[in-house]
Amino acid sequence: MTGVDRVDGAVEAEDEGRVGRRALGVPDLSLVVLIGATGSGKSTFAARHFKATEVISSDFCRGLVSDDENDQSASGDAFDLLHFIVGKRLAAGRLTVVDATNVQSEARTQLVRLAREHDVLPVAIVLDVPEQVCAERNATRADRAGLPRRVIQRHQRELRRSLRHLEREGFRKVHHLRGQAEIDAAEVVRERRFNDLRHLTGPFDIIGDIHGCRSELETLLGRLGYALVRDGLGRAVDAAHPEGRTAVFVGDLVDRGPDSPGVLRLVMGMVAAGHALCVPGNHENKLGRYLKGRKVQHTHGLAETVEQLAKEDAAFRDEVGTFLHGLVSHYVLDGGGLVVCHAGLPEKYHGRTSGRVRSFALYGDTTGETDEFGLPVRYPWAEDYRGRAAVVYGHTPTPRATWLNNTLCLDTGCVFGGRMTALRWPERELVDVPAERVWYEPTKPLAGEAPGGADGRPLDLDDVAGRRIVETRYMGRLAVKEENAAAALEVMSRFAIDPRLLPYLPPTMAPCATSQEDGYLEHPAEAFAGYRADGVREVVCEEKHMGSRAVVLVCRDETVAAERFGASKGVSGALYTRTGRPFFDDPEATGTLLRRVGACVAEAGLWEELETDWLLLDAELMPWSLKATGLLRKQYAAVGAASGAVFPGVLGALEAAAGRGVEVGPLLRRQRDRAADAAAFTAAYRRYCWRVGERTTPDGSVSDGPVSEGPVSDGPVSDGPVSEGLGVMEGVRLAPFQILAVQGRSLAGLAHTEQLALIDRIVAAESAVAAQEDGPSGRGRVAGGAGLLATTRRIIVDTEDEASVAAGIRWWLELTADGGEGMVVKPVQALIRQPDGRLVQPGVKCRGREYLRIIYGPEYTRPENLKRLRVRHLGHKRSLALREYALGLEALDRMAEGEPLWRVHEAVFGVLALESEPVDPRL
């Protein structure tokens, strides 16, 4: 019910039995203002019809600021507080009820202003009861028993003066309840806003600006799978999709093109049949005003539409006028995840109702400037957009539709000779058809992008600065401390690769529980027992390679990298460390590696099988010396060099003293043990270093050439000849072990056995790729030796089978006998949860006895040192591993779902920030 029901001052006593139920329509997002004299029952009415949290009472606010709800001297502060709370609720999109007398126009004016500021509808509910009833009610309240009668009389007079003016004050709905019987019979009915279609989940086909191009529209609908319905004259009057999809038109149906009436006839028919939704464009708004007899300028194509409509009958023109008048400024669809409007809409306007919202949805916003063509310069609202809902719009012609910060402009200038474009939702697929001709010469060429365009600001400091809360699907809300965010910002801004090519950072990995096995700090028995306790029966043990964690983004070609990730010319992907830094300063080295991996993916047939043009791989890059040169030289090599220089002399002197009969036996034995530990330490780290970037002769020996910095082992470059096709990358090995994501999908949930089977195919394909690179000579040297790609060896262990567990332990002992790093133990099935819902560790590392010598020092295996080191506090490390894992999964999901870069980067940045949490680096 809208409008004032009755505004005469009489109050009639009505028999309650003769009063039927009365529905009071209240928009589900609005500011409800209760109006009535003291004692009229406003608080009782509010408690009966609204949630306690929805009602903001002036008495309650007065009590908050003065400890006395009746202290009128505190009213100023109380209403300041009331207005503040109301503003916060409205900003959050919460229906809010103000329980105060509100009989004075000044008090109502401030509330109406608040509603307008937050673009919600103000609704007035007047409780009009006799003065005597108000007086009797106040008399029963101890805190108001002494209230003078004149106060009630003043309220009643002010109420009478107000009734005729409530709509003019700005209230969109006024419900006047007269007498207690009407109040008791009232029932508040919450009405869904016209723009709130969140219950409609699609799928949708959103179609950009049409501008009278009926023929192209029919072609586009056909490509989208719609079947056209024609009337007796052959005119399209409806179109339905056999799968029940719904078309959504973003406005600007008319003007400039050859057949605006035909477009209107088709769109109106689809909307009437329930096959389509439509929002108005600025051209429909202008045409609607013309059809109402308003004075408008016949510019920008309106003259052509008026001429075309003149050939239609009056009934059709009336139907058009009615249709245009009923269009809603924008729609919120698919659970709030999709907003469709004509000119775009910032998040603060989504689902709101006001003239300001409608104006922005129709025309957008301008800077107040004009360009060289005399057209207004649009404010680039999309550059700053950070909303979770995808905003799909039109209005500003652009050569092609491109996503910017989760917004997409579909106006690709069909009427100007461009294309007519549609977006399939939720698939996020673009479908377009070319214009049949240039129907209208544009005022300026379609050379610019949509607002923001390619020069937009996809990331902002506010996205990552300060304390952050990141919502994840696997661990809920994860906090990032301000100091950790600052540390991550330093790394990300100074050293990381282009964030567009950085969609994921791998999490840290916790070690297995500390072993009590004699001589061991870590042992696989603890890893198997831990997973068995978590209810995980099958685990896969993967060889831990002697390298550095690497993430590889490989695209089918440079065009894919540019279109999907915004890569620069000549870039076909990325290779970066677990902190987002590039592995190689030399672009040629990165390009060589990416080309080889891409060629192997193609040879394995995975581009087609996975239906993707890019892959994101988790891998190990060897040798370790490629990135750990400083660590090796300053920390490890320094220890090895010092021991090599000192111990021979010490041992020589002690042995000489022993030869002279001096009693130095215990000291000599201790120093010999220390020398042996130091030699073992040196041998351990040398296994992780070898020469790269050289040529090898056919027999596998090494010729002179550039080498990686740092200590180098005395062994050959690799375990066999290397293909000439690798060039500067010869001697480098890449061991991929997981495909993280492909186009439109995260593969993080794929079982590790399936993951490794796909990886094996990529590695196996390298022989054929290398043979092709070697040319007609057919040397194919990779087939007989090591190429770039390395296989990850593994074994499956049943944690509940003693024999299987024993086999897993033997395998680990064999891996680590010669100083191998160890293995990673993972549940075969990914994303395992415990019975209480908590995530199980995605993997634990079990490092070899000699490898840990590098980490804990040459003499760590001595019993007294092991006893001390076994007091390891793993709780924080395990928590950190799970949190980073959840953030990584969130980044992959967001990327797969096509969310904007800032949303993906929020999770990526969170992983890097958590890395600066203080934790024992040896873990």
Side-chain angles (χ1 to χ4, degrees):
M1 179 177 289
T2 59
V4 178
D5 301 330
R6 283 182 285 180
V7 294
D8 59 292
V11 177
E12 302 177 6
E14 300 184 60
D15 181 78
E16 186 173 341
R18 292 190 291 110
V19 178
R21 301 300 295 172
R22 177 171 171 186
L24 309 182
V26 173
D28 57 1
L29 175 55
S30 59
L31 176 60
V32 179
V33 179
L34 301 182
I35 304 173
T38 177
S40 60
K42 298 181 298 299
S43 297
T44 302
F45 182 89
R48 183 155 60 96
H49 295 286
F50 301 98
K51 299 176 185 176
T53 53
E54 293 175 330
V55 180
I56 311 300
S57 164
S58 60
D59 289 344
F60 178 73
C61 292
R62 196 178 288 111
L64 285 177
V65 300
S66 70
D67 293 330
D68 183 357
E69 293 188 355
N70 294 301
D71 183 358
Q72 297 301 314
S73 66
S75 291
D77 290 339
F79 277 95
D80 286 345
L81 176 60
L82 182 145
H83 294 150
F84 177 80
I85 296 173
V86 169
K88 288 296 183 181
R89 284 188 58 84
L90 295 180
R94 307 291 183 187
L95 181 143
T96 304
V97 180
V98 176
D99 176 11
T101 57
N102 295 315
V103 293
Q104 296 177 328
S105 61
E106 295 83 1
R108 297 191 298 271
T109 297
Q110 295 184 62
L111 294 173
V112 171
R113 184 183 302 119
L114 268 174
R116 287 174 174 168
E117 286 176 1
H118 295 92
D119 303 290
V120 302
L121 297 179
V123 176
I125 299 180
V126 181
L127 277 61
D128 191 351
V129 298
E131 174 189 327
Q132 183 60 33
V133 174
C134 294
E136 291 173 355
R137 288 174 177 168
N138 284 324
T140 62
R141 295 178 54 179
D143 58 342
R144 295 190 184 177
L147 184 72
R149 187 73 172 251
R150 65 176 180 276
V151 174
I152 302 173
Q153 293 171 344
R154 186 180 74 248
H155 287 176
Q156 293 281 13
R157 288 194 302 272
E158 290 172 335
L159 177 62
R160 294 286 170 268
R161 286 195 293 267
S162 299
L163 286 174
R164 296 182 182 275
H165 309 295
L166 292 176
E167 285 187 320
R168 275 186 287 171
E169 289 179 8
F171 288 99
R172 295 291 295 273
K173 290 192 174 197
V174 178
H175 300 295
H176 185 189
L177 302 177
R178 309 169 74 241
Q180 192 59 42
E182 284 195 8
I183 294 173
D184 291 341
E187 181 180 359
V188 172
V189 178
R190 304 200 183 203
E191 301 172 338
R192 187 189 297 271
R193 287 155 283 157
F194 292 135
N195 55 38
D196 182 6
L197 299 183
R198 288 174 294 175
H199 60 289
L200 299 182
T201 57
F204 301 107
D205 297 305
I206 309 166
I207 298 174
D209 297 36
I210 300 170
H211 283 297
C213 299
R214 176 195 51 76
S215 180
E216 288 90 339
L217 173 60
E218 292 183 9
T219 302
L220 179 58
L221 287 171
R223 284 205 49 192
L224 292 169
Y226 288 78
L228 291 171
V229 178
R230 300 186 182 274
D231 63 11
L233 299 177
R235 301 175 300 188
V237 294
D238 190 11
H241 199 284
E243 298 175 5
R245 300 180 70 93
T246 301
V248 186
F249 297 94
V250 304
D252 276 4
L253 310 174
V254 301
D255 294 350
R256 296 179 174 143
D259 191 3
S260 290
V263 172
L264 286 167
R265 183 176 289 108
L266 175 54
V267 173
M268 289 191 302
M270 293 179 69
V271 171
H275 299 147
L277 300 169
C278 183
V279 297
N282 56 300
H283 287 263
E284 281 77 56
N285 185 57
K286 190 174 183 181
L287 176 60
R289 287 185 284 129
Y290 164 78
L291 293 174
K292 287 182 178 180
R294 308 278 179 83
K295 185 177 180 180
V296 296
Q297 294 183 342
H298 290 205
T299 55
H300 304 297
L302 179 60
E304 288 81 355
T305 300
V306 169
E307 181 181 350
Q308 293 164 12
L309 283 173
K311 300 175 183 177
E312 304 289 336
D313 56 37
F316 179 77
R317 291 193 294 272
D318 290 342
E319 185 182 350
V320 170
T322 302
F323 172 75
L324 298 181
H325 178 70
L327 294 178
V328 179
S329 65
H330 70 285
Y331 285 124
V332 181
L333 302 159
D334 198 10
L338 173 65
V339 172
V340 178
C341 51
H342 178 62
L345 206 62
E347 186 178 30
K348 65 181 180 179
Y349 292 157
H350 295 178
R352 304 293 172 130
T353 48
S354 70
R356 174 169 54 186
V357 172
R358 184 175 179 83
S359 177
F360 199 110
L362 286 172
Y363 303 101
D365 198 6
T366 61
T367 64
E369 305 168 293
T370 55
D371 60 18
E372 66 271 26
F373 301 97
L375 298 176
V377 176
R378 306 288 178 191
Y379 177 76
W381 66 273
E383 293 182 3
D384 301 318
Y385 183 74
R386 292 295 182 268
R388 294 192 176 184
V391 179
V392 183
Y393 62 105
H395 188 56
T396 306
T398 179
R400 62 189 181 93
T402 54
W403 286 96
L404 173 66
N405 288 341
N406 215 18
T407 74
L408 180 68
C409 178
L410 287 178
D411 183 0
T412 46
C414 180
V415 75
F416 301 124
R419 309 183 74 82
M420 188 178 296
T421 302
L423 170 72
R424 290 181 180 271
W425 180 273
E427 300 88 343
R428 289 182 178 249
E429 296 175 4
L430 292 172
V431 179
D432 59 28
V433 296
E436 295 179 357
R437 50 167 286 189
V438 176
W439 299 104
Y440 197 93
E441 289 293 339
T443 303
K444 65 178 181 180
L446 304 183
E449 297 287 343
D455 298 326
R457 300 184 299 275
L459 296 177
D460 189 272
L461 183 62
D462 291 338
D463 296 332
V464 293
R467 186 175 185 273
R468 312 292 300 175
I469 299 292
V470 183
E471 292 278 357
T472 69
R473 299 157 216 224
Y474 298 94
M475 287 192 70
R477 294 161 59 87
L478 295 178
V480 176
K481 296 179 181 178
E482 182 175 2
E483 58 268 28
N484 296 337
L489 183 61
E490 172 77 5
V491 173
M492 193 70 76
S493 60
R494 294 184 60 190
F495 306 113
I497 65 170
D498 186 335
R500 294 173 296 181
L501 299 172
L502 184 60
Y504 174 83
L505 284 178
T508 189
M509 183 171 291
C512 63
T514 305
S515 175
Q516 299 303 315
E517 190 83 13
D518 187 33
Y520 290 93
L521 189 60
E522 294 179 9
H523 193 275
E526 275 70 30
F528 299 144
Y531 278 121
R532 184 169 60 250
D534 287 335
V536 179
R537 179 160 186 170
E538 276 197 324
V539 295
V540 57
C541 305
E542 298 179 7
E543 172 188 10
K544 206 168 188 303
H545 296 280
M546 299 184 294
S548 303
R549 191 76 171 266
V551 180
V552 186
L553 173 64
V554 56
C555 299
R556 192 189 285 257
D557 52 41
E558 295 176 8
T559 302
V560 172
E563 291 183 353
R564 174 58 183 86
F565 297 99
S568 304
K569 185 178 181 181
V571 174
S572 62
L575 172 71
Y576 56 90
T577 70
R578 65 181 308 269
T579 57
R581 306 182 188 215
F583 255 104
F584 303 116
D585 295 328
D586 180 11
E588 180 187 352
T590 301
T592 298
L593 184 145
L594 293 177
R595 283 191 296 272
R596 171 59 66 88
V597 175
C600 293
V601 173
E603 181 68 23
L606 292 185
W607 293 130
E608 294 76 19
E609 182 175 326
L610 298 177
E611 298 179 336
T612 186
D613 288 327
W614 56 268
L615 292 174
L616 188 66
L617 299 169
D618 207 350
E620 285 279 330
L621 190 67
M622 299 168 279
W624 192 25
S625 52
L626 278 172
K627 291 305 292 181
T629 298
L631 182 67
L632 286 163
R633 280 189 164 174
K634 296 178 182 179
Q635 185 166 323
Y636 302 146
V639 173
S643 62
V646 171
F647 280 118
V650 170
L651 293 177
L654 289 173
E655 288 169 352
R660 296 193 301 271
V662 179
E663 182 54 45
V664 293
L667 179 60
L668 177 58
R669 287 193 297 273
R670 186 164 63 252
Q671 294 306 315
R672 282 173 176 168
D673 290 343
R674 294 188 67 200
D677 287 340
F681 174 85
T682 303
Y685 75 72
R686 279 184 172 173
R687 292 186 179 93
Y688 296 84
C689 322
W690 59 76
R691 297 178 182 275
V692 299
E694 345 174 66
R695 294 294 181 188
T696 57
T697 60
D699 62 359
S701 60
V702 181
S703 65
D704 292 334
V707 299
S708 65
E709 295 182 352
V712 180
S713 67
D714 297 329
V717 171
S718 62
D719 53 1
V722 182
S723 168
E724 288 183 342
L726 292 176
V728 295
M729 295 296 292
E730 290 182 6
V732 174
R733 307 295 307 282
L734 181 75
F737 54 83
Q738 186 172 14
I739 302 177
L740 295 164
V742 296
Q743 187 171 313
R745 283 185 294 158
S746 167
L747 297 185
L750 195 63
H752 289 292
T753 48
E754 298 178 52
Q755 288 276 4
L756 291 169
L758 293 172
I759 296 297
D760 285 347
R761 290 169 55 187
I762 297 175
V763 175
E766 189 173 19
S767 294
V769 170
Q772 295 168 12
E773 291 176 351
D774 284 341
S777 61
R779 284 176 290 178
R781 293 181 293 167
V782 169
L788 171 68
L789 301 180
T791 299
T792 295
R793 294 179 289 171
R794 67 272 193 181
I795 184 175
I796 304 296
V797 171
D798 183 342
T799 61
E800 297 183 5
D801 184 325
E802 292 184 6
S804 181
V805 168
I809 294 174
R810 285 195 302 273
W811 190 72
W812 178 80
L813 290 172
E814 292 169 3
L815 280 179
T816 59
D818 294 328
E821 184 171 347
M823 68 184 183
V824 175
V825 184
K826 304 175 182 177
V828 169
Q829 300 299 324
L831 308 179
I832 299 293
R833 291 187 182 273
Q834 297 180 24
D836 60 3
R838 291 181 299 167
L839 277 175
V840 170
Q841 286 288 344
V844 294
K845 55 190 176 184
C846 185
R847 296 168 289 184
R849 186 172 185 269
E850 291 306 310
Y851 171 79
L852 285 177
R853 199 179 296 278
I854 305 174
I855 305 301
Y856 286 100
E859 300 172 9
Y860 94 101
T861 55
R862 296 192 177 190
E864 64 274 18
N865 290 334
L866 275 178
K867 181 178 179 180
R868 174 177 50 83
L869 292 173
R870 283 187 173 123
V871 185
R872 302 192 300 175
H873 301 286
L874 299 178
H876 188 190
K877 181 71 171 182
R878 288 172 173 171
S879 168
L880 190 62
L882 280 176
R883 285 179 284 148
E884 291 186 12
Y885 178 57
L887 286 168
L889 292 174
E890 185 66 24
L892 294 175
D893 286 339
R894 291 181 182 185
M895 178 178 65
E897 293 168 4
E899 293 203 34
L901 177 61
W902 76 269
R903 285 271 295 160
V904 177
H905 197 67
E906 179 185 47
V908 173
F909 190 90
V911 174
L912 187 59
L914 292 185
E915 277 294 295
S916 61
E917 285 194 5
V919 66
D920 186 347
R922 298 172 300 178
L923 298 178

